[in-house]
Amino acid sequence: MTHGPLADRPNNPKVGLPISHESAPGHVTGTALYTDDLVAHTKDLLHAWPLQAPHAHAKITKLDVTPAYAVPGVVRVLTAADVPGVNDAGIKHDEPLFGDEVRFYGHAVCYVLGETEDDARRGAEAIVVEYEPLPSLMTITEAIEAESFQGAARTVSRGDAEAGLADSTYRFTGEFEFGGQEHFYLETNAALARVDEAGQVFVQSSTQHPTETQEIVAHVLGVHSNEVTVQCLRLGGGFGGKEMQPHGFAAVAALGATITGRPVLLRLNRTQDMTMTGKRHPFHAAWEVGFDADHRIRALKATLTSDGGWSLDLSEPVLARALCHIDNCYWIPDIEVHGRIAKTNKTSQTAFRGFGGPQGMIVIEDILGRCAPLLGAQPEDLRRRNFYVPGQPTPYGQPVRHAERLEQIWATLETKADVVSRRLAIEEFNATSEHSKRALAMTPVKFGISFNLTAFNQAGALVHVYKDGSVLINHGGVEMGQGLHTKMIQVAATALGVPLSYVRLAPTRTDKVPNTSATAASSGADLNGGAIKDACEQIRRRLDVVAAGQLGIHPDDVRFVDGVVTGIGFHDKQIEWAKLCHDAYFQRVQLWAAGFYRTAGLHWDANRMQGEPFKYFAYGAACSEVEVDGFTGAYRVLRADIVHDVGDSLSPLIDVGQIEGGFVQGTGWLTLEELRWDTSDGPHRGRLNTQAASTYKIPSFSEMPEHFAVHLFEKATESGVVYGSKAVGEPPLMHAFSVREALRAAAAAFGPEGHSVDLRSPATPEAVFWAVEEARAAAENGSADAALANGSHNGHARTSGEPVRV
Amino acid sequence: MIQQVIAPHAQRAGGTSPAADEPSVVVNGRARPLGPVGGHTTLLEWLRGTGFTGCKEGCAEGECGACAVLVARPEGPDAVGGEDTTRWTAINACLVPAAGFDGQEVVTAEGLGDPRALHPVQQQMADRGGSQCGYCTPGFICSMASEYYRPDRTPTGTTERVAGADPSVADAAADGRPADDPAAPGHAVDHEHGPNGFDLHALSGNLCRCTGYRPIRDAAYALGEPAADDALAARRAEPAPAAPATVITEGGTEYRRPTDLAGALTLLADNPGARIVAGSTDWGVELNIRHSRADLTVAVDRIAELREFTIEPDALVIGAALTLSEVERAVAGRVPLLSELFPQFASRLIRNGATLGGNLGTGSPIGDSPPVLLALDCSLVLASTAGERTVPLSEYFTGYRKSVRRPDELIGAIRVPTPVAPVTGFHKIAKRRFDDISSVAVAFALVLEGQTIADIKIGLGGVAATPIRARDTEAALVGQPWTGATARAAAEILAAEGTPIDDHRASAAYRRAMLGTALRKFHAQNAAPRQNGSSS
């Protein structure tokens, strides 16, 4: 048959079936293996343990490792002197693997290799280190004051923001600082390295970016990439936290293995993982916004400052994505947004699901949530009024294709969530409930899909068809729970026209598919699916010819469905798939293929911040209802409804899981999860005080909405993407804005009409309590903020800046 | 033999058969020698070292449940008919010394089923998208299996929808779920209990970072009853393995399990520095996170004298080594304040191991039970070779993690005087509703005569170096009318009790504010309460 556009589906496709995760039977029986599980299969293993410095910033004046060797079981201490290649764990050459300066509290000074983890730990405790403490910067404010920045500052702009603000009927200004987020993947970082039978370095790593892990290991060891293989079986969660952070740990394990000749495991325990690895960037935003008389956004001027921590890592692209998402779903005619990266003495902040997108979008959502009461508008009306319409481009110059979906999704959500009648019920409830209040809020999402950096938008695959008809696929993507491998099996089975059971997927490794991009930016299925489909279609075209010969028809007329090969329109002559493969072999037809995919039509000028960096946008909207206890600020999410656009879903069970999981994870970021650093001048300045599961709380069952419904937006084929699907990993996280905005509205319900609520982020029960107290105070003072009609001005003191009518 | 009735899978992990007298554990139906474990090797380390991958380390402090396994535990003192039976109990393997499992039966996720022959719990989880990255999944499976096999889990059979439930939720069929799915939330009695009697709190100690929990809940609520030939279900009818006297010495440290109280007290008298463990839910954290070590670890969790529950004319006497789950079942609602406490006390996984004796023995200022037990005016029975003494809990704590208990003394029992106050309330302030440590905990026990406050006791946690009674507030309230005005006035006194501090859980200002609002909330909840004379 002819192989049509990328988005077209054949008859009886395997994509679109709601199948469960390909590893589910292994997950539920505990037999699906992760890096640390390989220990039981590894003889003569050594364990590595980091010696972590107890200073935020200090010069190492003395490092005496000899006492460690007196500890039984200690085999080797690794220091800078052992590095044969480049002493750097990153790609920016600003992350020494073994530094002479401590740059954050918990920074590893050296690593001890021991027969057991306990031996290595006790060895590390014996080492003598002397430090000369240096001044440190712990907060964005401190960094701004000290003018401590790193990397390139960027600006996205269009039109004349100053003129637009001057032209606005209403102008507000404010500030907003919001916290980061620990990934808290259940599996901590782990790397197991050995020198294999052929003398090459083989590293099993919990990495989202095997190729880059391979490159860093190679440059630390001073060898070429072809001497290092990295394999990733699966991750116990990644969420961006294993995109860049695993490289140094893999390099330490590899260094230890090459020096000792024994396998080396470096597995961080939870506290090590939390104190040593980067997190979602916290941001500070200062903004000024103008609306016209009809409440349309006229102009926005803002400065975003991210807290990058001690080194650059991925801070620059994270900032770029924040700047490219501050518009979220809203048309902002005149805009000027500056971005910069603070350098502080914290862990080096990194990728986290959304990759700056959430940090950009929360700024505009916070602005709208705070300004709506001041305008006398319903927040939902204000949001809807400002949606993009077809034909309008983003501030960076990309047309917002399918912008009409925003309105369609919003209307669908209103119906599905029964918004009108529930609003009435909430009003009734609040009228009779003095001590607790309910509210619902709707927020939209538009998220650009593709890596901003165009070069990353490529992928490779290797597909083998064996003589017995069984299929083995390899691709460059990493399975971290997102269901990528499941989707890839579905893509291969669809493209080859065989049952799912014929296809097996092999672990991701760099000697099968080279030069891969990180499994990140939600792009795993788009890119690797494109590559697998390409490989499968090469094989299919060859098999078409073989089958056509046997069926006596033209190759274009051959059909492959469920492992049975027929001609178009007749079924009396059939060839079994396995038989055809067997025959093809004897005709010396190549039964395997390497596939490749590059996303077409992208261009991006990173300096000017202009271009079309995204293949398309993913859309969605969420409606959440909360109930807040006025005595404590404690709250519950009573109900959440989401309508989300995944194109034509490759795998609905997987996609619904991604949407639900993203929503709850985003809700964690915005409500529960609080990273508290010691910012005092005490002896533990710089220490992360929330460095364990007991002090850093991620959502549990109690945070799951009591009623939780996800609806996939229908008839949503995305042309130009594998089988018409859309990426799903990151966009749903931002649906959690609806919870934050509902909390804001519920707090406001304790106060007078028109009171603008300033809500800290994360909106912990404590933060909500203070918001409720402010609302109550406003009621007692009888001063609503939004007394625009009579021109009065509000005068409450606020903790983090407030929208003030200028 | 037990070895034959338990799931026949999972012979895959390594290890050899133990010699007759060698300490050993039956894992997934096969006895395995404990080998060289001292007091410091956790069950999780031992299982993984033996080759089992169906339990994972996620946090090593009993918060995430990735390490959960099933253990065969005696069905407890309230077992009907006096026959000793077995309850498959899920616990955190990361907290407990492996040595404590000498002679015990443990089942891990790989022992429940095989990828080609899944257990019903595994089947539901797999089919419904209950696993994404899969790392937390084996732990969820064990917690869920424990609830699946809970002897008193009773299907409600109801198909009535919860008031306010949304019919469209059930047809969220994007994932292919049928509209008449038994797991649909509309079929539940309430959103924390399934129509099959499944209590969602059974999973409160398991964290998942991927799914958002909905599919896991649906899997739990879709479970049926164990099949007639289910070996683990049948195993419940037999007695749980006894806890043998264990002595294991390794690397200069010793683990001992005395079999009776006299033996334990003698050990303590001879070794005042010994580390006493019951559920080991606190000591396990010390071991893993702070790398604490003890020369001698003494296990008291299976000593019969410490595991009695007695109803006396003027008191309920709760054995200090009963787990919180066992206490919950034994008390059976007789003390409403305890009923309010238990679901908020850590997680089911922790409550399955932790004991009241342990919670009071560690003396943490933020333990959840002390405020409640203070409000209930409890006393502690302290035992030593010299005999017993009874100490009011209000005189027990002497400083941060310090108490009047001597090193040679064990907490034997907790006496809850009866009748208990008829109007009670427990307010736990925490970030997360399930399984969090409180920043402030306030417990109230109020006795009214008419509309006048005859007696009130208020226990506070998290606002001082020890749990305390709010004496000033109590004094101000007694004799006053139970009105909103009284509550508001006394709230200001309550807000000034203790010395709250700023930390990563909450600010001092918030803690103070929570003390202030607690009494007003308690009044709002009990503005027209029952009069004196409780059912107990």
Side-chain angles (χ1 to χ4, degrees):
Chain A
M1 76 175 271
T2 52
H3 301 283
L6 193 56
D8 287 1
R9 294 186 176 190
N11 288 337
N12 207 3
K14 301 304 173 195
V15 293
L17 299 178
I19 62 171
S20 60
H21 197 285
E22 51 88 26
S23 284
H27 293 156
V28 297
T29 52
T31 54
L33 299 185
Y34 303 79
T35 301
D36 187 48
D37 293 329
L38 302 170
V39 170
H41 304 276
T42 310
K43 272 191 175 165
D44 301 326
L45 183 71
L46 291 175
H47 297 259
W49 187 273
L51 167 57
Q52 294 184 261
H55 294 280
H57 192 195
K59 193 157 184 53
I60 298 169
T61 54
K62 181 183 176 186
L63 175 61
D64 179 7
V65 303
T66 47
Y69 288 101
V71 174
V74 169
V75 171
R76 190 69 157 79
V77 182
L78 300 175
T79 68
D82 294 310
V83 177
V86 182
N87 181 10
D88 201 276
I91 52 167
K92 297 276 181 182
H93 291 262
D94 65 346
E95 290 181 56
L97 189 58
F98 304 94
D100 51 12
E101 192 177 309
V102 174
R103 303 282 294 282
F104 66 98
Y105 197 105
H107 202 157
V109 172
C110 60
Y111 288 82
V112 180
L113 307 181
E115 298 288 349
T116 67
E117 199 177 273
D118 219 39
D119 294 341
R121 177 182 62 76
R122 284 183 293 108
E125 284 170 358
I127 290 173
V128 177
V129 196
E130 286 173 10
Y131 303 94
E132 179 191 321
L134 298 169
S136 58
L137 300 170
M138 290 312 302
T139 65
I140 296 180
T141 312
E142 286 173 359
I144 292 174
E145 273 169 19
E147 293 185 16
S148 170
F149 298 105
Q150 56 187 332
R154 299 288 186 201
T155 298
V156 166
S157 70
R158 170 174 61 204
D160 185 338
E162 271 305 332
L165 287 169
D167 188 39
S168 297
T169 310
Y170 306 100
R171 289 174 68 172
F172 304 99
T173 183
E175 283 185 60
F176 181 33
E177 189 169 345
F178 48 94
Q181 185 177 23
E182 162 61 36
H183 301 84
F184 213 100
Y185 24 66
L186 265 288
E187 177 211 25
T188 51
N189 272 286
L192 174 59
R194 65 183 167 89
V195 180
D196 78 3
E197 307 74 15
Q200 70 150 355
V201 177
F202 183 69
V203 186
Q204 303 260 10
S205 171
S206 59
T207 176
Q208 283 175 249
H209 199 346
T211 286
E212 204 167 77
T213 302
Q214 173 196 27
E215 288 165 357
I216 299 294
V217 168
H219 91 185
V220 168
L221 297 181
V223 300
H224 290 105
S225 290
N226 67 357
E227 297 166 75
V228 177
T229 296
V230 173
Q231 171 165 298
C232 179
L233 293 175
R234 59 173 57 75
L235 303 184
F239 314 115
K242 295 171 182 170
E243 182 169 347
M244 202 133 193
Q245 305 288 305
H247 308 335
F249 306 124
V252 168
L255 184 62
T258 54
I259 287 176
T260 63
R262 294 173 62 179
V264 173
L265 173 78
L266 172 50
R267 181 200 67 106
L268 302 185
N269 65 28
R270 180 60 60 185
T271 296
Q272 288 164 344
D273 198 294
M274 292 185 78
T275 55
M276 292 171 75
T277 70
K279 301 155 199 331
R280 184 188 295 286
H281 290 71
F283 270 62
H284 174 272
W287 51 267
E288 187 168 359
V289 68
F291 295 88
D292 69 15
D294 294 330
H295 297 169
R296 290 200 163 77
I297 304 171
R298 183 65 193 77
L300 174 68
K301 216 178 151 176
T303 298
L304 306 188
T305 311
S306 76
D307 182 347
W310 73 279
S311 72
L312 260 183
D313 194 272
L314 291 161
S315 294
E316 288 178 320
V318 164
L319 178 68
R321 188 164 278 266
L323 296 177
C324 288
H325 283 78
I326 196 167
D327 59 328
N328 193 10
C329 300
Y330 312 111
W331 165 244
I332 308 172
D334 291 292
I335 184 167
E336 181 182 326
V337 184
H338 305 283
R340 56 189 178 174
I341 303 158
K343 187 171 188 173
T344 60
N345 297 104
K346 290 182 184 159
T347 53
S348 184
Q349 313 317 5
T350 189
F352 194 142
R353 202 175 195 171
F355 201 75
Q359 290 99 317
M361 288 155 71
I362 193 178
V363 173
I364 192 70
E365 293 303 333
D366 185 66
I367 289 171
L368 295 176
R370 287 160 78 177
C371 291
L374 304 179
L375 291 165
Q378 280 293 330
E380 280 66 42
D381 297 339
L382 185 62
R383 290 189 163 90
R384 188 176 201 164
R385 174 161 303 197
N386 283 286
F387 282 169
Y388 278 110
V389 296
Q392 290 173 331
T394 64
Y396 46 90
Q398 173 149 9
V400 182
R401 196 165 56 86
H402 290 161
E404 69 283 358
R405 286 189 184 181
L406 283 169
E407 181 57 39
Q408 292 164 0
I409 286 170
W410 199 257
T412 307
L413 179 63
E414 279 191 326
T415 308
K416 296 270 188 197
D418 197 14
V419 169
V420 175
S421 68
R422 282 169 61 210
R423 275 197 191 290
L424 290 174
I426 288 167
E427 270 177 39
E428 244 171 71
F429 176 88
N430 288 348
T432 56
S433 169
E434 186 190 347
H435 301 301
S436 60
K437 301 289 181 190
R438 292 179 180 173
L440 68 73
M442 294 170 67
T443 55
V445 166
K446 164 186 128 286
F447 193 82
I449 300 297
S450 293
F451 289 95
N452 266 73
L453 182 75
T454 303
F456 291 165
N457 297 291
Q458 59 172 310
L462 184 61
V463 174
H464 297 335
V465 176
Y466 293 95
K467 282 177 280 184
D468 66 353
S470 64
V471 180
L472 184 69
I473 58 177
N474 276 276
H475 63 88
V478 166
E479 175 59 46
M480 52 188 142
Q482 83 280 43
L484 174 62
H485 285 357
T486 312
K487 288 182 171 179
M488 295 305 95
I489 289 170
Q490 288 178 283
V491 166
T494 303
L496 293 172
V498 298
L500 290 164
S501 61
Y502 287 22
V503 183
R504 200 172 79 80
L505 194 145
T508 309
R509 45 191 290 168
T510 55
D511 59 355
K512 292 285 173 54
V513 179
N515 308 328
T516 56
S517 296
T519 306
S522 306
S523 66
D526 286 18
L527 298 178
N528 295 294
I532 286 174
K533 187 164 183 278
D534 174 43
C536 291
E537 287 176 350
Q538 293 175 44
I539 298 165
R540 271 286 308 275
R541 277 193 288 273
R542 296 176 204 139
L543 290 174
D544 284 344
V545 175
V546 178
Q550 295 190 9
L551 295 168
I553 58 175
H554 191 277
D556 285 356
D557 296 334
V558 177
R559 294 289 177 272
F560 288 64
V561 178
D562 279 336
V564 177
V565 184
T566 60
I568 185 169
F570 66 90
H571 299 279
D572 51 337
K573 275 174 84 177
Q574 295 189 341
I575 312 169
E576 288 300 318
W577 162 264
K579 167 90 169 48
L580 182 65
C581 294
H582 178 267
D583 294 349
Y585 169 79
F586 281 95
Q587 292 179 26
R588 289 179 291 164
V589 169
Q590 185 186 349
L591 280 173
W592 55 273
F596 186 72
Y597 176 78
R598 65 189 291 277
T599 314
L602 307 179
H603 65 95
W604 181 240
D605 181 336
N607 293 319
R608 286 175 54 242
M609 295 288 284
Q610 289 290 314
E612 298 194 21
F614 305 124
K615 178 73 175 172
Y616 57 88
F617 294 102
Y619 299 105
C623 176
S624 293
E625 180 177 347
V626 300
E627 182 175 326
V628 169
D629 173 24
F631 289 114
T632 60
Y635 48 80
R636 293 169 79 154
V637 181
L638 301 178
R639 176 169 167 178
D641 297 82
I642 296 171
V643 176
H644 194 84
D645 172 12
V646 297
D648 287 345
S649 176
L650 287 179
S651 201
L653 188 71
I654 300 281
D655 283 348
V656 168
Q658 286 294 293
I659 294 165
E660 291 174 333
F663 173 84
V664 171
Q665 193 172 66
T667 303
W669 171 47
L670 296 173
T671 63
L672 265 185
E673 299 179 35
E674 200 169 18
L675 290 161
R676 300 283 295 254
W677 308 79
D678 187 336
T679 56
S680 75
D681 290 326
H684 298 299
R685 178 176 170 80
R687 180 179 182 270
L688 178 63
N689 287 329
T690 49
Q691 51 172 260
S694 53
T695 46
Y696 185 82
K697 308 310 279 191
I698 66 167
S700 78
F701 259 104
S702 52
E703 282 61 50
M704 175 186 64
E706 292 172 18
H707 301 284
F708 194 5
V710 169
H711 309 273
L712 301 182
F713 185 59
E714 290 173 359
K715 298 186 189 116
T717 310
E718 181 62 36
S719 60
V721 184
V722 61
Y723 293 125
S725 65
K726 274 189 179 183
V728 70
E730 292 166 293
L733 182 119
M734 278 72 80
H735 288 313
F737 293 141
S738 61
V739 174
R740 183 177 144 75
E741 293 306 313
L743 288 171
R744 187 199 303 279
F750 286 93
E753 196 74 14
H755 171 71
S756 173
V757 169
D758 182 9
L759 188 59
R760 258 172 41 193
S761 191
T764 58
E766 176 170 355
V768 172
F769 176 76
W770 296 125
V772 168
E773 286 287 280
E774 266 185 36
R776 282 183 174 137
E780 280 165 25
N781 300 340
S783 68
D785 297 344
L788 291 174
N790 59 24
S792 79
H793 187 283
N794 94 82
H796 306 299
R798 295 284 175 78
T799 51
S800 63
E802 60 177 317
V804 173
R805 192 177 175 200
V806 180
Chain B
M1 266 310 284
I2 289 153
Q3 281 91 325
Q4 279 139 19
V5 294
I6 302 182
H9 326 288
Q11 296 288 323
R12 65 181 69 80
T16 51
S17 296
D21 296 336
E22 200 180 351
S24 65
V25 189
V26 175
V27 184
N28 299 335
R30 192 180 127 196
R32 294 159 204 274
L34 262 171
V37 297
H40 304 141
T41 304
T42 65
L43 180 61
L44 175 64
E45 288 170 310
W46 181 81
L47 284 167
R48 289 186 63 79
T50 307
F52 293 98
T53 53
C55 44
K56 313 283 189 194
E57 180 181 311
C59 71
E61 54 175 351
E63 293 274 343
C64 78
C67 63
V69 296
L70 293 168
V71 295
R73 291 293 194 212
E75 176 48 16
D78 61 338
V80 183
E83 283 298 310
D84 194 4
T85 59
T86 293
R87 179 183 284 253
W88 286 111
T89 304
I91 60 163
N92 290 302
C94 73
L95 296 177
V96 288
F101 290 81
D102 178 14
Q104 302 302 299
E105 292 164 39
V106 175
V107 176
T108 67
E110 56 257 77
L112 284 170
D114 185 274
R116 289 162 300 280
L118 297 180
H119 183 277
V121 164
Q122 294 169 327
Q123 192 72 53
Q124 286 295 342
M125 280 284 279
D127 289 351
R128 291 172 182 271
S131 71
Q132 285 186 20
C133 86
Y135 199 83
C136 70
T137 311
F140 267 102
I141 292 294
C142 288
S143 287
M144 203 180 281
S146 174
E147 180 67 6
Y148 175 72
Y149 288 120
R150 177 163 63 87
D152 48 343
R153 178 172 67 89
T154 324
T156 57
T158 179
T159 54
E160 279 176 38
R161 291 184 182 281
V162 191
D166 164 45
S168 74
V169 175
D171 71 19
D175 58 354
R177 208 167 58 188
D180 60 349
D181 190 329
H187 293 272
V189 185
D190 66 49
H191 63 91
E192 287 171 7
H193 293 86
N196 55 357
F198 193 99
D199 178 2
L200 205 54
H201 283 264
L203 307 178
S204 62
N206 294 83
L207 293 176
C208 168
R209 191 54 153 166
C210 296
T211 62
Y213 300 101
R214 194 276 309 158
I216 300 176
R217 177 197 62 188
D218 285 2
Y221 287 1
L223 292 169
E225 296 303 300
D229 62 348
D230 184 314
L232 290 179
R235 174 68 187 83
R236 297 177 300 182
E238 304 295 320
T246 301
V247 180
I248 298 180
T249 305
E250 166 68 23
T253 67
E254 194 166 54
Y255 180 94
R256 279 176 175 270
R257 177 188 292 289
T259 51
D260 60 17
L261 183 59
L265 295 177
T266 305
L267 258 181
L268 291 185
D270 296 345
N271 304 277
R275 168 59 55 175
I276 306 163
V277 299
S280 194
T281 53
D282 196 60
W283 175 239
V285 178
E286 291 285 320
L287 278 178
N288 295 333
I289 306 296
R290 281 175 277 280
H291 310 292
S292 302
R293 296 292 181 260
D295 293 336
L296 173 63
T297 306
V298 177
V300 300
D301 54 315
R302 298 293 291 276
I303 292 174
E305 295 99 315
L306 302 177
R307 292 178 44 77
E308 289 165 358
F309 175 76
T310 323
I311 301 175
E312 294 183 357
D314 61 346
L316 303 179
V317 185
I318 302 170
L322 288 169
T323 68
L324 293 166
S325 292
E326 288 170 334
V327 175
E328 193 175 351
R329 294 197 292 272
V331 172
R334 293 181 184 91
V335 184
L337 191 51
L338 286 175
S339 302
E340 247 187 284
L341 166 68
F342 288 127
Q344 300 184 65
F345 192 124
S347 65
R348 177 60 75 198
L349 286 171
I350 293 292
R351 295 199 294 276
N352 282 344
T355 63
L356 278 182
N359 202 230
L360 297 169
T362 63
S364 165
I366 47 177
D368 279 342
S369 77
V372 164
L373 299 178
L374 281 169
L376 292 171
D377 205 20
C378 293
S379 301
L380 303 187
V381 180
L382 300 177
S384 69
T385 49
E388 280 188 359
R389 60 177 176 142
T390 300
V391 179
L393 184 58
S394 57
E395 294 167 19
Y396 171 77
F397 299 107
T398 55
Y400 181 73
R401 286 187 177 257
K402 287 196 170 74
S403 72
V404 301
R405 183 178 66 82
R406 299 190 311 264
D408 67 328
E409 281 181 314
L410 266 180
I411 301 173
I414 293 90
R415 293 181 63 87
V416 185
T418 52
V420 296
V423 185
T424 55
F426 178 59
H427 298 174
K428 173 169 174 167
I429 309 296
K431 277 185 189 152
R432 196 169 67 195
R433 205 159 57 81
F434 287 0
D435 193 16
D436 197 358
I437 295 168
S438 56
S439 51
V440 178
V442 187
F444 298 98
L446 169 68
V447 180
L448 290 177
E449 277 168 14
Q451 280 305 305
T452 303
I453 301 167
D455 186 42
I456 185 164
K457 294 190 175 63
I458 306 173
L460 305 179
V463 296
T466 68
I468 56 171
R469 282 269 294 277
R471 301 277 188 188
D472 291 349
T473 313
E474 292 173 6
L477 283 168
V478 172
Q480 299 295 312
W482 181 234
T483 63
T486 301
R488 278 192 298 277
E492 304 207 355
I493 302 170
L494 186 52
E497 303 252 19
T499 50
I501 56 163
D502 280 309
D503 69 8
H504 49 271
R505 290 200 175 87
S507 68
Y510 181 63
R511 285 190 162 98
R512 216 166 260 308
M514 291 305 94
L515 288 179
T517 60
L519 188 59
R520 292 195 281 124
K521 181 172 183 174
F522 179 58
H523 180 267
Q525 289 169 332
N526 298 282
R530 286 175 297 149
Q531 297 301 298
N532 204 346
S534 89
S535 56
S536 64

